[in-house]
């Protein structure tokens, strides 16, 4: 019977991606509801010593596939290794990051296994409805016999993702095939606090590769040395919307961000207007962020924007329209003109800094 939640690790040069840690965190939550285990999958060359990191981030066990053929990500050998692993272990759920690698690997594996894949999920949940209905209707307290009498679709994974150009959120279930597979957007799920020294099993799976498995020749690996700002890593984001009036006003928001040790970000309106680069866009078609503080300045709070920032720990919104939707998700709302409030804020922060340094 299909069992357990498998998280496919993404690694480059032996460094495990943040999204893998987020998926392990989410998987521990889902596994508790299913009463199943979290299994990490680590593929690469000389990578085994990284298994402990996955255990400390939530995995109960890690399956390692090591081979020089897996040193760099290449579609064919990775697909072969993972397909074999899934056929042997028969997982219930398999999760990937919705990254360039995850988006390449997951559909190929799903096609070979003949199962479904929900791509680019922003929410995962276990459907317990049928299970609870059954429990209500039955008098037995013997959970093992309950499990046996329930079908395999009674505790399915509900995978939610934006659909139809982001105009609806679709919840998709894969009721008839296993494993249930999803790619999940980076930055959406929460990693758990690492548990140093946590014990877990590490198992090796051998996959035989031949020259026919490598249809790509890597001649050179060129690292991108350009230091792009990653707004998903920022603790504080000072975000500007159309209400800031011009591209130039980001300079003022940058001052606030510098004073708070953060970065500037944006709504899509300003990216479309060419006021700021796309990599700083927050929202459904931009990045999903969850900083400690998100300051929305002159942002109306369209659903597509809120989808990317509503998990922020604290939201402060400045908007001159007191009915703006952004106030519905704000912890602190300031009704007023950005151009009046921001200079006052800069002044107050500079004063505070001067007095406390
Ligand atoms: C498929 C799809 C995907 C999308 N993806 C995204 C996405 O990823 N991210 C995103 O942000 N949007 C996205 N959008 C666009 C989204 O629907 C909104 O159009 C956009 O978020 C609006 O940006 P805004 O809030 O900056 O501008 P507006 O909606 O124009 O709001 C400007 C706000 O500023 C206020 N304001 C004006 N002047 C001042 C002032 N001087 N002081 C204070 N407040 C002032 C106004 O009251 C208003 O509330 C998407 C849309 C679609 C259809």
């Amino acid at each position: 019977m299909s069992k357990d939640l498998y998280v496919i690790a993404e690694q480059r040069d032996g460094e495990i991606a943040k999204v893998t840690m987020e998926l392990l965190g989410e998987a521990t939550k889902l596994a508790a509801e299913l009463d199943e285990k979290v299994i990490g999958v680590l593929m690469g060359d000389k990578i085994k010593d990284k298994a402990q990191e996955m255990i400390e981030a939530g995995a109960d066990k890690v399956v390692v596939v090591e081979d020089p053929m897996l040193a760099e990500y290449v579609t064919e050998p990775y697909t072969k290794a993972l397909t074999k692993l899934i056929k042997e272990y028969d997982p219930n759920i398999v999760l990937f990051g919705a990254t360039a690698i995850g988006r390449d690997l997951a559909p190929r594996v799903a096609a070979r296994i003949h199962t479904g894949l929900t791509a680019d999920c922003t929410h995962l949940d276990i459907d317990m409805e049928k299970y609870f209905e059954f429990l209500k209707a039955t008098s037995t307290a013997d959970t093992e016999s309950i499990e046996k009498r329930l079908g395999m679709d009674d505790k399915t994974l509900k995978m939610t993702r934006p659909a139809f150009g982001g105009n609806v959120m679709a919840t998709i279930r894969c009721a008839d095939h296993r494993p249930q597979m999803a790619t999940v957007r980076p930055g959406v799920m929460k990693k758990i606090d690492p548990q140093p020294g946590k014990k877990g099993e590490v198992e090796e799976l051998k996959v035989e590769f031949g020259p026919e498995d490598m249809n790509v020749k890597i001649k050179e690996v060129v690292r991108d040395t350009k230091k792009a700002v990653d707004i998903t890593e920022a603790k504080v984001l000072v975000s500007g919307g159309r209400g800031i009036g011009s591209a130039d006003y980001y300079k003022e928001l940058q001052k606030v961000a510098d004073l708070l040790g953060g970065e500037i970000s944006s709504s899509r309106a300003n990216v479309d207007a060419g006021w700021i680069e796309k990599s700083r866009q927050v929202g459904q078609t931009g990045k999903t962020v969850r900083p400690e503080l998100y300051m929305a300045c002159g942002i109306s709070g369209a659903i597509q924007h809120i989808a990317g920032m509503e998990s922020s720990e604290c939201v402060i919104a400045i908007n001159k329209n007191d009915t703006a939707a952004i106030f519905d998700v704000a912890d602190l709302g300031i009704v007023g003109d950005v151009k009046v409030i921001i200079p006052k804020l800069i002044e107050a922060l500079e004063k505070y800094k001067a007095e406390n340094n």
Side-chain angles (χ1 to χ4, degrees):
M1 198 186 117
S2 307
K3 209 167 167 5
D4 298 333
L5 290 93
Y6 283 58
V7 172
I8 312 306
E10 183 163 328
Q11 57 87 16
R12 281 195 180 84
D13 297 332
E15 198 168 315
I16 298 179
K18 194 172 151 233
V19 65
T20 304
M21 300 309 185
E22 293 165 3
L23 290 179
L24 286 167
E26 178 68 11
T28 52
K29 234 173 57 195
L30 300 171
E33 287 191 58
L34 290 167
D35 198 17
E36 293 187 1
K37 290 207 157 56
V38 177
I39 316 289
V41 174
L42 197 50
M43 295 182 280
D45 188 25
K46 301 190 184 82
I47 192 84
K48 201 173 155 193
D49 60 331
K50 290 282 159 183
Q52 183 58 26
E53 247 178 70
M54 293 185 81
I55 291 167
E56 291 178 4
D60 298 295
K61 172 173 144 183
V62 177
V63 182
V64 182
V65 188
E66 277 189 325
D67 196 281
M69 199 82 113
L70 302 171
E72 304 287 345
Y73 176 77
V74 175
T75 310
E76 263 311 308
Y78 269 75
T79 304
K80 180 174 177 172
L82 190 54
T83 303
K84 177 174 165 143
L85 188 146
I86 291 176
K87 283 186 177 161
E88 267 182 40
Y89 287 78
D90 191 17
N92 182 15
I93 292 170
V94 180
L95 303 177
F96 303 75
T99 59
I101 290 179
R103 284 175 173 150
D104 183 63
L105 180 62
R108 281 161 216 272
V109 174
R112 290 193 194 183
I113 304 285
H114 294 291
T115 189
L117 169 73
T118 307
D120 225 10
C121 295
T122 52
H123 187 76
L124 299 174
D125 217 349
I126 302 296
D127 189 354
M128 300 291 278
E129 242 169 71
K130 265 196 186 173
Y131 185 75
F132 287 134
E133 261 172 38
F134 187 90
L135 282 187
K136 245 197 263 166
T138 181
S139 54
T140 177
D142 175 0
T143 46
E144 206 176 308
S145 84
I146 292 169
E147 296 288 348
K148 271 190 201 139
R149 278 144 63 190
L150 282 164
M152 80 167 175
D153 65 340
D154 287 306
K155 273 192 195 176
T156 47
L157 182 66
K158 292 198 287 186
M159 301 168 275
T160 303
R161 54 152 297 156
F164 297 109
N167 291 310
V168 291
M169 296 304 278
T171 297
I172 296 163
R173 298 190 327 146
C174 176
D176 300 326
H177 296 274
R178 290 295 178 273
Q180 305 164 85
M181 287 182 34
T183 64
V184 180
R185 264 185 168 216
V188 178
M189 303 303 177
K190 219 172 173 180
K191 52 183 179 183
I192 54 170
D193 291 334
Q195 301 155 269
K198 187 183 154 218
K199 298 255 180 300
E201 204 185 324
V202 180
E203 198 170 291
E204 279 185 70
L205 175 74
K206 193 80 205 129
V207 180
E208 297 297 334
F209 292 105
E212 70 284 0
D213 294 318
M214 186 59 102
N215 51 4
V216 170
K217 189 169 176 192
I218 299 174
K219 288 188 163 177
E220 193 188 356
V221 177
V222 182
R223 312 246 171 249
D224 186 1
T225 49
K226 203 169 73 200
K227 245 187 139 219
V229 171
D230 182 1
I231 58 166
T232 65
E233 299 279 349
K235 287 204 163 78
V236 175
L237 283 174
V238 184
S239 210
R242 209 186 323 247
I244 66 168
S246 71
D248 221 34
Y249 207 72
Y250 276 112
K251 287 186 193 139
E252 300 308 306
L253 299 191
Q254 185 68 59
K255 283 185 197 162
V256 180
D258 289 345
L259 284 159
L260 294 172
E263 291 291 343
I264 53 166
S265 56
S266 176
S267 70
R268 177 163 147 179
N270 295 359
V271 173
D272 290 348
W275 292 0
I276 190 163
E277 62 270 30
K278 165 93 181 152
S279 60
R280 291 188 190 256
Q281 182 189 318
V282 171
Q284 198 179 291
T285 43
K287 302 240 170 84
T288 304
V289 296
R290 51 165 81 233
E292 286 170 18
L293 172 64
Y294 187 85
M295 276 187 67
C297 310
I299 293 178
S300 58
I303 180 96
Q304 297 91 352
H305 186 81
I306 286 176
M309 46 65 72
E310 64 189 335
S311 302
S312 304
E313 277 173 39
C314 177
V315 176
I316 299 179
I318 307 171
N319 198 302
K320 65 179 184 187
N321 174 3
D322 66 356
T323 65
I326 193 72
F327 289 130
D328 297 341
V329 293
D331 298 281
L332 175 67
I334 304 169
V335 180
D337 189 335
V338 167
K339 306 243 169 94
V340 173
I341 292 152
I342 291 293
K344 286 193 172 151
L345 182 60
I346 294 171
E347 199 185 310
L349 286 170
E350 281 174 344
K351 189 164 170 246
Y352 177 84
K353 275 218 147 172
E355 284 170 3
N356 290 280
N357 271 342

